[in-house]
Amino acid sequence: MGGPRHRRKPGRVTPKGTRPGERPDGPNRPKSAADYLLRNAGRIASRRVDIDEAEEWASALQIMFRPVGEETEPDLDASDLLAEAGRRGGTAAAVLSAALAVFGPPECRGAARDQTRRLIENGAWVPAWAEALGDVVPQRAMLLTDVWEDDYLVLVDFVRPDGAVCAVGVHVDLVLEGVAHHFVRGPSAEAIIDEGGSPDGAVVRPVSLTDARAMIDAGMELRDLSDLPEVSDEDDECYRLDEGLRPLVEQRIGLLPSGGDASRPRPLTKRQMVRTVRRVAARSKSLDRADVERLADRIALFGEYCNDRDPLRWSPRKTHAFLAEWIPWKTVPDADEHDAIEAVFPHWIEYAAESRGLDAERLALNLSAAQASFADMRANAADPAMRSPVANLFCEMREDGVDLSDADAVEAWLDRFLARARSEGR
């Protein structure tokens, strides 16, 4: 569960051949990043592009001013670029300044607006779209959820001064730590849904503009705290494509009123959890109350980790993520504990289905996912590569005969381990 899985790769976010950040090699290679971006701005200004293409270009170039993935520093300082554009003047400088005025780092937008106006007043020609960037008004918001409520897509329609509708959308996945990902845009919310296709049983409903902003803001905050770009080459590219569209999405969402409800699942109270444990334990005489309590603790921790805190909301994806990924990664169950999980968990999801009014077909799918995941749980728990560093340490302790419930024994083993690591220069 170190990052996202099952993600759909978004489409191209910039007009073909205009994506910043990928400077050409050869004799025509620009001398500097500023030279490249100004040349890039000049090219798009000379082409016949519509406002949507222009905004995607203006948004994507901002990737030069923000760290991406494991990078700690951006490629370029926006203020330096703005100053260089001001010195050179002309159409390219005005277009680049206009892009920074709307989608650039907040601290430079005011200066970029002033510079754009000054360059135009001094005779710089700009295409009509340069002064129309970001000029939209929010109209309505919609929410598309899958039948399991694992993933939802927040969609917001905006209206341009000429009456044209444009929309942006952000996916938020509760199984993937609640992060915002796979940013999309289109001529309307309905067009985005039609193009992407709605999963069977999906529900589309209106939401307030304030709630739409709260949901996306919460997902964006968690995205910045997650390790999304560290998963695979494919996910890293998906992350970068999202980051190219992110300034446009943030500009749009910043136009929405604040104060809404992010609608995150809420955990059970302590009393509700105790009652749940008691009722699950009572479902079969073969169940041990201590085993049910131990599973409940793990489910609660898993809910905190993936930001879906409702221990009674299950789906095939969430079931597999808990059993086959999280249990091996975060815990160190022995064979008896694996047996206990396999004995208790089906009863837990049966009780959860009854509590939530889940139909028999969906309960059967969850039970089938659990049975299919138990083998993966055991196999992954035996694989050091599927365990966290801490879990691997505890496995080493167990192999050395340490009682993991004995705090003094664990501390003594760790002292010896650290002393050995220091002596070996690790």
Side-chain angles (χ1 to χ4, degrees):
M1 290 282 294
R5 293 166 176 82
H6 314 299
R7 298 175 65 193
R8 288 181 291 168
K9 188 178 264 190
R12 177 166 46 86
V13 298
T14 54
K16 198 170 186 179
T18 63
R19 186 177 182 186
E22 299 173 357
R23 283 179 261 161
D25 292 319
N28 294 322
R29 179 181 175 86
K31 296 179 181 178
S32 67
D35 186 49
Y36 168 69
L37 289 178
L38 283 163
R39 185 182 300 181
N40 190 272
R43 282 202 300 269
I44 194 169
S46 67
R47 294 177 53 210
R48 183 175 295 178
V49 299
D50 61 26
I51 182 63
D52 291 321
E53 289 181 294
E55 284 191 327
E56 290 180 346
W57 167 81
S59 175
L61 73 85
Q62 310 306 325
I63 204 168
M64 300 290 285
F65 313 121
R66 59 200 307 165
V68 176
E70 296 180 349
E71 299 167 6
T72 57
E73 296 292 336
D75 290 342
L76 190 63
D77 183 273
S79 297
D80 292 343
L81 176 63
L82 196 61
E84 180 66 18
R87 284 191 291 271
R88 297 194 189 188
T91 293
V95 167
L96 198 56
S97 299
L100 287 168
V102 179
F103 303 116
E107 65 273 11
C108 81
R109 290 178 188 173
R113 281 193 296 271
D114 292 341
Q115 179 161 288
T116 303
R117 184 179 62 253
R118 186 167 59 252
L119 289 170
I120 293 174
E121 289 173 350
N122 290 338
W125 173 87
V126 295
W129 55 255
E131 298 182 81
L133 295 173
D135 188 5
V136 297
V137 175
Q139 183 183 52
R140 62 170 182 165
M142 300 169 65
L143 187 68
L144 172 67
T145 58
D146 68 351
V147 67
W148 297 102
E149 299 179 1
D150 280 341
D151 179 87
Y152 54 86
L153 172 61
V154 188
L155 294 160
V156 187
D157 278 332
F158 296 84
V159 181
R160 299 192 188 278
D162 64 359
V165 177
C166 54
V168 297
V170 174
H171 287 82
V172 178
D173 195 328
L174 294 177
V175 179
L176 301 181
E177 306 172 31
V179 300
H181 69 100
H182 186 52
F183 307 150
V184 292
R185 67 169 301 173
S188 68
E190 286 95 342
I192 291 174
I193 293 172
D194 290 343
E195 182 179 354
S198 297
D200 292 340
V203 177
V204 181
R205 62 179 175 86
V207 292
S208 69
L209 293 174
T210 54
D211 286 353
R213 177 169 184 166
M215 292 177 193
I216 293 175
D217 282 347
M220 289 292 199
E221 181 179 356
L222 290 167
R223 177 185 179 88
D224 289 336
L225 294 173
S226 74
D227 59 353
L228 281 178
E230 300 173 7
V231 183
S232 69
D233 291 341
E234 180 179 349
D235 280 321
D236 185 66
E237 177 62 15
C238 188
Y239 179 92
R240 287 176 177 271
L241 290 171
D242 275 354
E243 287 296 291
L245 199 55
R246 180 170 178 169
L248 186 149
V249 171
E250 289 182 334
Q251 184 267 338
R252 298 290 200 260
I253 301 309
L255 299 174
L256 305 182
S258 58
D261 179 11
S263 300
R264 294 287 181 174
R266 291 178 172 82
L268 300 184
T269 65
K270 186 175 182 180
R271 179 177 296 180
Q272 289 171 326
M273 185 62 97
V274 169
R275 184 168 63 246
T276 297
V277 168
R278 183 175 66 248
R279 290 178 177 176
V280 171
R283 297 182 70 84
S284 173
K285 292 181 180 180
S286 65
L287 296 181
D288 186 318
R289 173 72 177 264
D291 289 339
V292 179
E293 290 175 344
R294 190 176 297 111
L295 179 66
D297 288 340
R298 285 176 170 156
I299 289 172
L301 288 173
F302 171 70
E304 290 294 326
Y305 179 79
C306 71
N307 290 293
D308 177 5
R309 298 174 177 84
D310 185 349
L312 301 179
R313 195 198 73 80
W314 292 94
S315 69
R317 280 188 62 220
K318 185 179 178 184
T319 296
H320 183 270
F322 173 63
L323 294 173
E325 297 179 24
W326 191 83
I327 289 288
W329 179 256
K330 287 290 185 180
T331 67
V332 285
D334 57 19
D336 290 341
E337 289 172 306
H338 278 136
D339 290 342
I341 292 171
E342 293 184 7
V344 175
F345 188 72
H347 292 285
W348 186 282
I349 56 177
E350 286 174 354
Y351 174 77
E354 293 171 8
S355 301
R356 293 177 59 86
L358 214 63
D359 60 54
E361 181 180 358
R362 285 201 282 168
L363 170 59
L365 290 171
N366 277 340
L367 289 170
S368 177
Q371 291 299 325
S373 298
F374 287 145
D376 290 337
M377 175 181 70
R378 290 178 183 264
N380 290 342
D383 182 356
M386 297 298 294
R387 301 192 299 250
S388 70
V390 172
N392 277 320
L393 277 179
F394 278 105
C395 286
E396 287 187 43
M397 291 182 201
R398 178 178 287 158
E399 291 170 1
D400 287 346
V402 176
D403 181 357
L404 299 184
S405 64
D406 185 338
D408 291 336
V410 169
E411 184 175 358
W413 187 94
L414 285 173
D415 287 341
R416 293 193 299 273
F417 174 83
L418 292 173
R420 185 170 66 251
R422 285 193 295 269
S423 68
E424 296 173 356
R426 286 188 283 168

